[in-house]
Each structure stands twice: as structure tokens, then as C-alpha cells.
Amino acid sequence: MLKRGWFPNDSSLRITLVFLIASLLCFFSSVSQSRAADLNRPSIADQLVGGEFSYVIQSGDSLTAISARFGVGVQVLAADNHISSRSSLRIGQVVRIDNRHIVPKIADDGILINIPQRMLFYLRAGHLLRAFPVGLGRHDWPTPTGAFQIVTKKENPIWSVPISIQEEMQREGKSVQTCVPPGPDNPLGKHWLGLSIPGYGIHGTIAPASIYRFQTHGCIRAHPDDIAGLFDEVSPGTRGLLVYQRLLIASAGGRVFLEVHPDPYKKDVKVHAQFEELLKSLPQFRIDRQLATGIIQKEDGMAREIGVKNSR
């Protein structure tokens, strides 16, 4: 007989129920962790974005600004152009840019953001519609991983400053703001896509040079032109994924590409082991292992060719 609610008085039965409940909680937790691990486990991709091209320096350009706009590291830009990362650029100067990135093969629909890659991809029915660099959370304020939906769309948003950021302002001796109206001082820019992950969103910025960096309080920051285009194409209910893949491999056009990024949140992802595992799926390709090892060690974040299809 059950007394005083649903929980039984019999001690052995009570212990059994507690054990069963604990087991179920552990099971669902392990399933959730397994699904999260699957999302962060790379697979062989089949397409790239970006390209190799020349860019003519305009007034106001810097390596940092070019890096942010095209999604390529400052050090990579400098190395590719045989200049110092602190070099001043001249108007009319021509720089070589290689901003190829691998599109992670995870989902065919919705928004996909790969945190180490600092790239956002928008797909519909398997077709890649948009891809652009983003700014993400700094190491002490990381952007979370997991599934989400777009829940709100706002043009010219008001920024209600979270308490945590107000406290940070106070600690740093800054003027504490509780609310920032739309306008040139609003760090959210002109467009806000609120996520189902409370407190997080994809938004524009008044500091475009900060994109392709880990400088935010966890939100996803995009160039004003990029977020404007995405804003027009998505609606509440659009699904998305935030993943953490440092290593990406793609097989495209009879060639194999490898892209490796640093570990911004120190998750200790074993990229060497991932690389070896993925190679098992590419027996028909001739891989330059020495080149691949160098790319893994360098972690420059760009897609580099490491192999071609075996000729018969």
C-alpha cells in the first residue's frame, strides 16, 4: 500500500525505485552526451567555400579588417603575402587571399556554426545558400554547443544589458549601462536573431574588425551585410546547430583537403586520432602524410590540399 503520496514506505522497494530512477537519468544523460559527441565528431565532407583570389587594398584596409571580412587569419594573410603581420598596407597594393573552408557534413537544412572554424553556414535541402565568418565567445565566456531554433527576429534591436555584463562593466571601471537603444552605439548592430538557447543570438556589429575572433560574451557576431542577408532568409522556427569540430576533411573534385583549427576552449580534441580514423574512409586516395602532419601541427585554419585520387 502506498501512503503519503506516491513514494512507498517499504524500504527495499524504495531503494529499488531510487536505483531505477538514477539508472534512467544516467541513461538519458549518456544518450544526450552521445548525440553531442556525434555532432562534434567529423566525417568526410564533400564541398568547400571560398577561393583563391587577389584583393586590391582600399582606404582604411588593414590585415585585421581583411581577416575579419574574408575569414582568414592575420598570420596566414601575412605568410601568404611574404609580409609581417604588423605591416601597413598601401592603397592600391595587391594581396593574395586564400580563404577556402570545408563545409562540415552534419546537416542539410538550417544554420550550422562550427565554433573553432568561426564560420556560419546556411543550408536548405542540401544546398549551401550562405557561408560567412563570425565572431564568437571568448575563452572565459564560451559560445555553447548544441541544437537551437530561431525564436525571434528584430530589426534595430534594443540591447537589454545582462546583469553579468553590467557586473563586468563595473569591475572594469566602465560606465554601467542597463539598456542601449538602437543606433550607432548599439553593439548588436541593426539585426538580431534570438536563439532558443536563452540569452544568445546571432547579430550584427558596429565593430566589423572584431569578426573571426573570440571576443564576444557568447553570442554570434556577423558582418552587417552578412547578417542582413541571413535575416531576410530565415524565420522563427529555423533550426540550427552549434558544433565544435577542430579537424575537417573533404573529398571534392578528385582531391582531398584538410583543415585544422586551434582549440579555443581547451576541449583537448584529439585531432591526430580523428585524422587517422577518417583516412580509413579514403583508401582510393594518395595522401601526402608529411604535408598533412604539418597542417595538423600548424593549425592555420585553412583548407589545404593533401591528396589526389589514385590513377588506374
Side-chain angles (χ1 to χ4, degrees):
M1 178 180 293
L2 298 180
K3 298 178 181 178
R4 290 186 300 224
W6 70 273
F7 215 81
N9 284 329
D10 181 85
S11 60
S12 62
L13 182 56
R14 190 158 55 236
I15 292 170
T16 301
L17 283 172
V18 169
F19 176 77
L20 287 172
I21 292 170
S23 298
L24 285 170
L25 289 173
C26 288
F27 170 76
F28 286 119
S29 175
S30 65
V31 169
S32 177
Q33 291 174 4
S34 175
R35 288 176 178 171
D38 287 341
L39 290 177
N40 295 322
R41 185 179 297 117
S43 56
I44 304 297
D46 55 17
Q47 59 180 324
L48 285 77
V49 294
E52 299 176 274
F53 57 95
S54 296
Y55 176 79
V56 179
I57 300 302
Q58 304 172 32
S59 176
D61 275 340
S62 65
L63 287 177
T64 299
I66 295 170
S67 164
R69 190 68 194 101
F70 294 109
V72 52
V74 169
Q75 297 294 338
V76 175
L77 277 171
D80 286 350
N81 289 278
H82 309 291
I83 58 177
S84 166
S85 60
R86 297 183 296 276
S87 294
S88 297
L89 303 177
R90 306 183 311 275
I91 295 176
Q93 181 180 349
V94 178
V95 295
R96 174 181 175 269
I97 296 177
D98 179 356
N99 69 338
R100 289 174 294 176
H101 288 287
I102 294 170
V103 182
K105 195 171 182 61
I106 300 175
D108 291 331
D109 282 284
I111 297 169
L112 173 62
I113 300 165
N114 184 14
I115 291 172
Q117 199 177 21
R118 291 159 290 167
M119 290 289 294
L120 180 150
F121 308 93
Y122 178 51
L123 303 99
R124 187 182 298 159
H127 297 288
L128 182 66
L129 302 181
R130 291 186 177 273
F132 52 81
V134 291
L136 296 163
R138 63 199 200 200
H139 70 91
D140 60 338
W141 217 305
T143 301
T145 58
F148 65 84
Q149 290 187 36
I150 300 297
V151 292
T152 58
K153 290 178 60 173
K154 293 181 180 178
E155 289 191 77
N156 299 311
I158 296 172
W159 184 36
S160 298
V161 185
I163 296 297
S164 55
I165 298 181
Q166 292 182 41
E167 292 171 345
E168 182 185 64
M169 292 174 176
Q170 189 173 33
R171 287 195 303 271
E172 295 178 352
K174 298 177 180 178
S175 175
V176 176
Q177 297 174 287
T178 59
C179 183
V180 180
D185 297 323
N186 190 317
L188 303 184
K190 295 183 179 181
H191 298 90
W192 167 267
L193 295 171
L195 307 187
S196 54
I197 304 173
Y200 293 91
I202 305 169
H203 62 82
T205 180
I206 54 175
S210 67
I211 295 167
Y212 204 60
R213 294 171 177 268
F214 295 98
Q215 292 187 347
T216 79
H217 291 91
C219 281
I220 298 95
R221 182 182 296 175
H223 188 279
D225 293 343
D226 291 331
I227 185 64
L230 182 66
F231 187 91
D232 289 340
E233 294 175 352
V234 301
S235 57
T238 297
R239 296 181 179 276
L241 291 170
L242 280 152
V243 300
Y244 197 96
Q245 291 191 4
R246 289 182 57 206
L247 179 140
L248 301 105
I249 293 182
S251 169
R255 299 183 291 169
V256 175
F257 295 84
L258 173 64
E259 180 176 342
V260 183
H261 294 263
D263 190 3
Y265 298 160
K266 307 303 179 188
K267 290 181 177 285
D268 195 27
V269 179
K270 308 296 186 183
V271 292
H272 284 88
Q274 290 181 341
F275 175 71
E276 293 298 331
E277 185 64 28
L278 287 173
L279 279 193
K280 296 176 183 178
S281 302
L282 300 168
Q284 71 275 35
F285 289 89
R286 185 172 67 255
I287 303 298
D288 186 332
R289 283 184 166 273
Q290 184 176 357
L291 179 59
T293 299
I295 292 169
I296 292 173
Q297 292 173 344
K298 198 172 183 180
E299 299 179 344
D300 71 0
M302 307 313 301
R304 308 292 190 185
E305 184 178 338
I306 62 167
V308 294
K309 201 163 188 177
N310 288 318
S311 57
R312 294 184 178 182

